[in-house]
Amino acid sequence: MMTIIRQDDFIQSIADALQYISYYHPKDFIDALYAAYQKEQGPAAKDAMAQILINSRMCAEGKRPICQDTGIVTVFLRIGMDVKWQADISVTDMINEGVRRAYLHPDNVLRASILADPAGKRVNTKDNTPAVIHMEVVPGDKVEVELAAKGGGSEAKSKFIMLNPADSIVDWVMKTVPTMGAGWCPPGILGIGIGGTAEKAMLLAKQACMESIDIQDLQARGPNSALEELRLELYEKVNALGIGAQGLGGLTTVLDVKILDYPTHAANKPVAMIPNCAATRHVHFVLDGAGPALLTPPKLEDWPVITQSASTARRVNIDSLTKQDVAAWKPGETLLLSGKMLTGRDAAHKRIVDLLAKGEPLPDGIDFENKFIYYVGPVDPVRNEVVGPAGPTTATRMDGFTATVLEKTGLLGMIGKAERGPAAVEAIKRHQAVYLIAVGGAAYLVSKAIRAARVVAFPELGMEAIHEFVVEDMPVTVAVDSRGESIHDTAPKHWQAKIGKIPVKVE
């Protein structure tokens, strides 16, 4: 008998699923992260994991996004050949309508991150459409949906190579992962696709990211295939790199390595690697014609109860700081910031640098002298919120602007996530500035430290507008001090040597 899938049921299922994954981590991720947290010995990495776990529980309770980057929607559909659609619009249009409804939902507005005309004007579509959709027609009378909201920071670290058949996949992965830095927000999952063609390998890697974490089960029973042996080898060796949570050095960089393969041409060995960040968001459901998908909320007791200790943190009033004050800060030190800061991402930085190049004044309300800038594009607030989830974005994207901004504006410090490149570190050292990191994947937790927020410049940029935040006890870690020492350089080397499974190269 033919199954009828109704347009409204399908649209509603997509919208409900996107809301659901915005605030519920998969249980397998929480269990794996908590196990990693319990065994972690690196203090900065353990603190970062604590923030991610606390943030996750807060989001489950408050039904607000795990991360301010609510992702690009990726959908894999397996449509049964005996399915009949009762619909006036295409399957693609139905999915995009579901995305639109989910991202504009008044109780939990999700950030619109998608830009049309990507090589030109890069104009925000305002509702996070369109989704990236892959469809397959298969035997059966159901529609299977795998759906993810993929963050831009982790997607930016995607890698592909066409290896020679005799080349080692392990060697390539081990050489490549350290070049990815921490902008993909470890600890997360590495999805690897092997075989097919170039585009097939990338698709396999993306699908692999959407599988459940089960590496502990595999370790317990042992491998039954070459792919399972490869998973175990890469899991051990990548963690032995010592990169750790947020790149702060530690025992766990990946919670699992997932691999899918496909037959390939005799002359080729395509390999793709796509990381999934600490805001791992995906769900799988099946439609059988009985109505919209029913997604069962997890139980709150699925989350561990963790409290963060602020006893070792230094409380800092950022309204009265000087270069002499920040000179006393050391890499790895935890600070609690209070006072006023400005925000700015890529588009705002480009506007600022263009104005400075023309000798024109910055807009009223923008004074960076001895101030901090936070690299963030927050989610819009709902109900009585001051601001929505407001975690950091990847700082290296601002590296090209850093020297100019530090030189021309008197900026004292920057807050973002992950490492800075050599040019930015040199500029920080030259101007005796400082770079701090907030935890990527703890956006709702960070937003609770923001007591007031207002847009002060470039409102037309939407989430990329410059805001002024008033913060109280915002948790950050010193990543690059005023002498140019970077914890992202020193800590992974220290932990790699401490783990002792991979020789540390002496430069």
Side-chain angles (χ1 to χ4, degrees), residues 89-369:
I89 56 178
S90 71
V91 173
T92 295
D93 288 343
M94 284 189 272
I95 291 172
N96 285 327
E97 179 57 28
V99 173
R100 191 172 292 113
R101 291 185 192 180
Y103 277 73
L104 299 177
H105 196 295
D107 290 337
N108 182 37
V109 180
L110 304 178
R111 195 183 83 182
S113 303
I114 304 307
L115 308 181
D117 190 17
K121 294 182 179 177
R122 297 180 66 83
V123 179
N124 198 302
T125 64
K126 303 291 179 65
D127 57 13
N128 222 59
T129 63
V132 176
I133 304 163
H134 307 284
M135 296 190 227
E136 185 182 359
V137 180
V138 299
D141 61 355
K142 295 178 177 59
V143 175
E144 285 186 56
V145 182
E146 278 188 299
L147 177 146
K150 187 65 163 62
S154 58
E155 193 70 3
K157 303 300 181 181
S158 302
K159 303 293 179 184
F160 172 80
I161 191 168
M162 190 64 81
L163 293 176
N164 291 318
D167 291 342
S168 164
I169 292 170
V170 172
D171 287 352
W172 177 74
V173 170
M174 294 304 292
K175 181 178 72 177
T176 305
V177 168
T179 71
M180 289 158 50
W184 63 278
C185 281
I189 296 155
L190 284 184
I192 295 176
I194 304 168
T197 51
E199 82 282 2
K200 181 64 175 179
M202 293 300 285
L203 274 176
L204 291 169
K206 181 60 64 68
Q207 283 181 289
C209 284
M210 300 170 81
E211 294 186 348
S212 296
I213 295 170
D214 64 354
I215 198 78
Q216 282 75 25
D217 296 338
L218 178 55
Q219 286 174 317
R221 70 166 167 80
N224 293 326
S225 67
L227 273 195
E228 290 184 345
E229 289 175 11
L230 184 59
R231 280 182 64 196
L232 289 171
E233 183 178 359
L234 287 174
Y235 176 75
E236 181 176 345
K237 286 186 172 177
V238 170
N239 282 327
L241 288 168
I243 295 166
Q246 304 291 301
L248 293 168
L251 300 178
T252 300
T253 302
V254 288
L255 299 171
D256 204 341
V257 177
K258 311 296 291 190
I259 307 176
L260 293 174
D261 71 351
Y262 194 84
T264 193
H265 191 284
N268 301 146
K269 193 196 271 188
V271 184
M273 180 163 59
I274 303 178
N276 220 355
C277 62
T280 291
R281 293 169 296 217
H282 60 87
V283 71
H284 176 256
F285 60 87
V286 177
L287 296 176
D288 60 5
L294 294 175
L295 299 166
T296 307
K299 302 181 185 72
L300 207 55
E301 52 264 33
D302 290 342
W303 276 264
V305 178
I306 296 174
T307 53
Q308 239 188 325
S309 170
S311 58
T312 58
R314 184 199 298 242
R315 281 192 156 83
V316 174
N317 178 0
I318 55 176
D319 291 336
S320 58
L321 280 177
T322 65
K323 278 188 164 53
Q324 290 71 33
D325 294 324
V326 303
W329 299 351
K330 300 282 193 298
E333 186 176 359
T334 304
L335 309 175
L336 295 171
L337 306 183
S338 296
K340 289 181 180 177
M341 64 177 64
L342 293 166
T343 75
R345 287 170 45 110
D346 316 57
H349 273 77
K350 186 173 188 316
R351 295 263 186 112
I352 290 165
V353 168
D354 286 349
L355 288 171
L356 293 172
K358 294 174 189 171
E360 296 178 12
L362 298 181
D364 290 343
I366 301 183
D367 177 10
F368 288 119
E369 187 71 35

Side-chain angles (χ1 to χ4, degrees), residues 17-29:
L18 288 167
Q19 279 284 313
Y20 181 95
I21 63 174
S22 77
Y23 42 74
Y24 290 140
H25 262 129
K27 185 178 185 301
D28 57 274
F29 178 86

Side-chain angles (χ1 to χ4, degrees), residues 51 55 59 65-70 111 185 246 279 341 343-345 374-379 387-395 397-398 415-418 437-450 463 469 474-476:
Q51 288 193 45
N55 180 76
C59 293
I66 294 164
C67 180
Q68 78 289 338
D69 180 355
T70 50
R111 195 183 83 182
C185 281
Q246 304 291 301
M341 64 177 64
T343 75
R345 287 170 45 110
Y374 182 24
Y375 301 150
V376 62
V379 175
V387 69
T393 197
T394 307
R397 297 204 316 274
M398 270 51 76
I415 306 164
K417 79 170 184 191
I437 58 166
V439 172
Y444 195 40
L445 175 64
V446 171
S447 74
K448 294 303 179 187
I450 301 168
M463 63 95 176
F469 285 170
M474 176 179 169
V476 295

